[in-house]
Amino acid sequence: SNGLKSARFASRSIGTTFACRGEPMRIDKLTTKFQEALGDAQSIAAGHDNPYIEPAHVLLAMLRQSDAGARSLLQRAGANVGSLMTALDAAIKRLPQVKGGDGQIQIGRDLTSLLNAADKDAQKRGDSYIASEMFLLAVADDKGEAGKLAREHGVSRKALEAAIDAVRGGAPVESPEAEGQREALKKYTIDLTERAQQGKLDPVIGRDDEIRR
């Protein structure tokens, strides 16, 4: 997002790049949805006077997104998303605060590790862009606070991988807009199904001859 790109971050920064396995990774290697979540996570951290963006900020931001693919994926994998969001909010309130500083917010060490892991998972799947679900997989394995909370509220890597495979249908992420397109397609399919159930669709199947006339 533009706010994210223009923000002033220090050493482990994601202004336009962030450190990943010792090499700088461009922010535009993330899907648009993931970039938006990082921007929202920065806002959550700023709102709580946290000097570092932590995994909990990013996970909560993803779950709060409109048309949140992350939320529906976790629900599909059997997680209790509502209670997880409450727990994340409480965890963020316990993070160290710095009041009256210069407002500069850095990427925390734990988040850097999870971004590295997400990048690794994305490469294994042949993805051109790192999608939000790769971050969710990293969280599922995380030994820190975010991973602990996720597992306490029903997140498991195995169930999450199955949910991701079902949603993706084996296709790699080849566009920064892949997540948004996926959600739009899902909404269209749901709308179509609802209209069919309500008898609002014209029954075209089996009317080939009539259509040709």
Side-chain angles (χ1 to χ4, degrees):
S1 67
N2 291 334
L4 181 62
K5 288 184 179 179
S6 62
R8 296 197 319 127
F9 291 94
S11 57
R12 288 190 296 279
S13 75
I14 52 168
T16 53
T17 65
F18 55 88
C20 198
R21 293 202 304 273
E23 296 293 327
M25 180 196 292
R26 291 178 58 82
I27 195 78
D28 59 13
K29 290 304 289 179
L30 307 179
T31 58
T32 302
K33 273 284 183 188
F34 199 166
Q35 289 184 39
E36 287 171 357
L38 281 175
D40 293 343
Q42 180 203 350
S43 296
I44 293 170
H48 288 84
D49 295 310
N50 304 138
Y52 295 100
I53 304 175
E54 301 290 358
H57 295 122
V58 180
L59 185 53
L60 184 60
M62 282 183 176
L63 297 177
R64 282 180 177 173
Q65 281 179 317
S66 59
D67 291 333
R71 187 166 60 232
S72 60
L73 267 175
L74 288 182
Q75 286 169 337
R76 188 172 191 141
N80 187 331
V81 175
S83 64
L84 173 57
M85 290 175 75
T86 302
L88 287 167
D89 200 40
I92 288 166
K93 288 185 170 79
R94 295 193 298 269
L95 289 172
Q97 295 181 327
V98 176
K99 295 183 188 288
D102 61 4
Q104 197 171 72
I105 299 173
Q106 298 181 56
I107 291 266
R109 191 182 302 275
D110 291 346
L111 180 53
T112 300
S113 296
L114 291 194
L115 291 171
N116 290 343
D119 178 32
K120 194 173 175 180
D121 269 322
Q123 289 187 42
K124 279 182 188 171
R125 287 171 175 261
D127 293 348
S128 302
Y129 295 86
I130 305 168
S132 302
E133 60 261 27
M134 295 300 100
F135 181 77
L136 297 180
L137 284 177
V139 168
D141 284 342
D142 177 38
K143 292 177 173 59
E145 178 80 352
K148 180 168 165 281
L149 289 176
R151 287 186 295 277
E152 282 176 3
H153 295 276
V155 177
S156 78
R157 184 176 177 108
K158 189 176 178 182
L160 189 52
E161 281 183 331
I164 290 168
D165 291 341
V167 167
R168 283 192 177 198
V173 173
E174 295 179 325
S175 157
E177 304 305 326
E179 291 183 72
Q181 289 164 353
R182 196 191 299 155
E183 290 307 307
L185 180 62
K186 187 174 77 174
K187 186 175 185 302
Y188 174 74
T189 307
I190 290 168
D191 289 349
L192 217 56
T193 306
E194 285 175 355
R195 287 184 67 193
Q197 287 169 348
Q198 292 164 7
K200 291 180 180 176
L201 289 184
D202 288 332
V204 260
I205 298 166
R207 290 173 56 198
D208 292 352
D209 293 339
E210 189 181 329
I211 289 166
R212 275 196 286 270
R213 286 200 300 271

